[in-house]
Amino acid sequence: MGDDMDPKLEINKQTVLAFYEVGLNQKDFAAASKLIGDRYVQHNPRIADGIEGFDAFLGQLRRDFPALRAEVKNIFAEGDFVIAHVHGVRVPGQLGTAIVDIFRLDANAKIVEHWDVMQPIPETAVNHNGMF
C-alpha cells in the first residue's frame, strides 16, 4: 500500500482539521486538548510550550479576537507530519493572513509539535494569483 493510501495519514489530517475547528474557530480548550499528546512542543515564539501554553493562547484569542476564523485551504500528510495552508482572519472584513502550519503527530494521532509561518495578505499584488 502506497503512502497516499495509508489510513494513518487520513486520520492525522482529520485530527488537525478537528483541531482547527474546535481549537481555533470555537476556541474550546477542553475539546482541543483531547487532540494534543502528552508533550506539546511549540515553535511559534509567541506561544509557550505545553498544553498550558496552548490554553493561554486560546484565552488570548477569546479575549482579543473572539471572531477569529481559520479556514484550511489545503492539507497534506506524510509520515508523522501534517501541513496545512490556511487563511486566518482575526477580525471579520479584514484581508487576513496566509499561514502554513506544520504539525507532528504521535502514533496515537495526537498533535505533539507545531511550527508556523505567516504572511499578511496585502491589499494589492503584482500578480493576480492570490495567496491560496
Side-chain angles (χ1 to χ4, degrees):
M1 182 183 293
D3 276 350
D4 59 338
M5 301 301 287
D6 184 345
K8 181 180 183 293
L9 298 180
E10 186 60 31
I11 291 167
N12 284 351
K13 287 195 289 187
Q14 291 305 314
T15 295
V16 169
L17 288 169
F19 184 74
Y20 280 108
E21 184 53 35
V22 298
L24 297 174
N25 292 337
Q26 296 176 22
K27 294 154 200 68
D28 181 343
F29 174 73
S33 67
K34 294 176 183 167
L35 303 170
I36 296 174
D38 292 338
R39 182 168 183 262
Y40 181 58
V41 179
Q42 179 59 255
H43 295 276
N44 180 319
R46 295 176 312 223
I47 304 172
D49 266 344
I51 194 88
E52 301 82 9
F54 182 70
D55 188 18
F57 172 68
L58 278 189
Q60 178 188 6
L61 290 184
R62 279 190 298 273
R63 193 174 48 254
D64 298 342
F65 304 106
L68 177 142
R69 295 286 300 167
E71 180 184 355
V72 177
K73 299 291 191 173
N74 295 290
I75 191 162
F76 311 92
E78 181 164 330
D80 295 333
F81 292 91
V82 174
I83 301 167
H85 188 202
V86 179
H87 183 196
V89 177
R90 288 180 170 180
V91 177
Q94 291 183 343
L95 293 173
T97 305
I99 303 165
V100 175
D101 280 309
I102 304 169
F103 298 93
R104 187 172 62 83
L105 290 85
D106 65 15
N108 299 313
K110 303 289 185 186
I111 297 170
V112 294
E113 198 161 6
H114 170 255
W115 300 258
D116 59 12
V117 291
M118 298 182 238
Q119 182 178 7
I121 298 172
E123 299 253 349
T124 60
V126 296
N127 63 57
H128 300 288
N129 302 321
M131 296 189 69
F132 303 100

